[in-house]
Amino acid sequence: MPGLGAPGYLLRTLERCARSGPALLLDVPGFGDPAGRACPETLGSPTDTVAWCLAVVPRAPVNLAGHSSGAQVALHATVRAPERVRALVLLVPTFPPHLRRMRPLLGALARTAVHEAPGAVPTVLP
């Protein structure tokens, strides 16, 4: 499950996953518009779509992965149909709402940076 924007950035990952068996990359309505138009305000609609896909996929349970906001959708869909998901992979989930402003985000960074290897800090800052 890709995050907002074009799902094309996950095509290489999809190809590699397909080496181990059938793999799908869901282009959920509202998530595939690179200009951000028609993006859902809540996770209801994309979650409904993923939950429906889980209900009809013939080889369940599946390994479900979600990237960025797609991680939230994958989590919500898994909660709805846990018997259809063997493993859930959350790839770079989005920040919780209380950290989506600069001051709280910098506070969280300061609290966690002390636990990171010094070489990792420059990759996190951008």
Side-chain angles (χ1 to χ4, degrees):
M1 177 67 209
L4 293 175
Y9 68 93
L10 290 175
L11 289 176
R12 197 167 91 188
T13 302
L14 175 68
E15 290 170 2
R16 294 213 170 121
C17 289
R19 292 176 187 169
S20 301
L24 299 170
L25 179 60
L26 299 177
D27 187 3
V28 175
F31 272 46
D33 185 353
R37 296 180 302 267
C39 290
E41 291 184 17
T42 68
L43 297 177
S45 178
T47 301
D48 292 342
T49 302
V50 175
W52 176 82
C53 289
L54 288 174
V56 299
V57 69
R59 291 186 171 182
V62 302
N63 298 326
L64 181 61
H67 177 260
S68 188
S69 55
Q72 290 177 296
V73 172
L75 175 63
H76 285 268
T78 300
V79 168
R80 287 192 191 178
E83 71 285 355
R84 305 290 290 174
V85 178
R86 175 185 306 114
L88 174 63
V89 181
L90 304 177
L91 304 163
V92 193
T94 58
F95 295 112
H98 72 279
L99 291 180
R100 292 184 188 157
R101 292 179 316 279
M102 189 57 71
R103 175 175 254 156
L105 185 59
L106 289 175
L109 174 64
R111 286 189 303 278
T112 60
V114 298
H115 302 287
E116 297 291 339
V121 174
T123 62
V124 174
L125 290 178

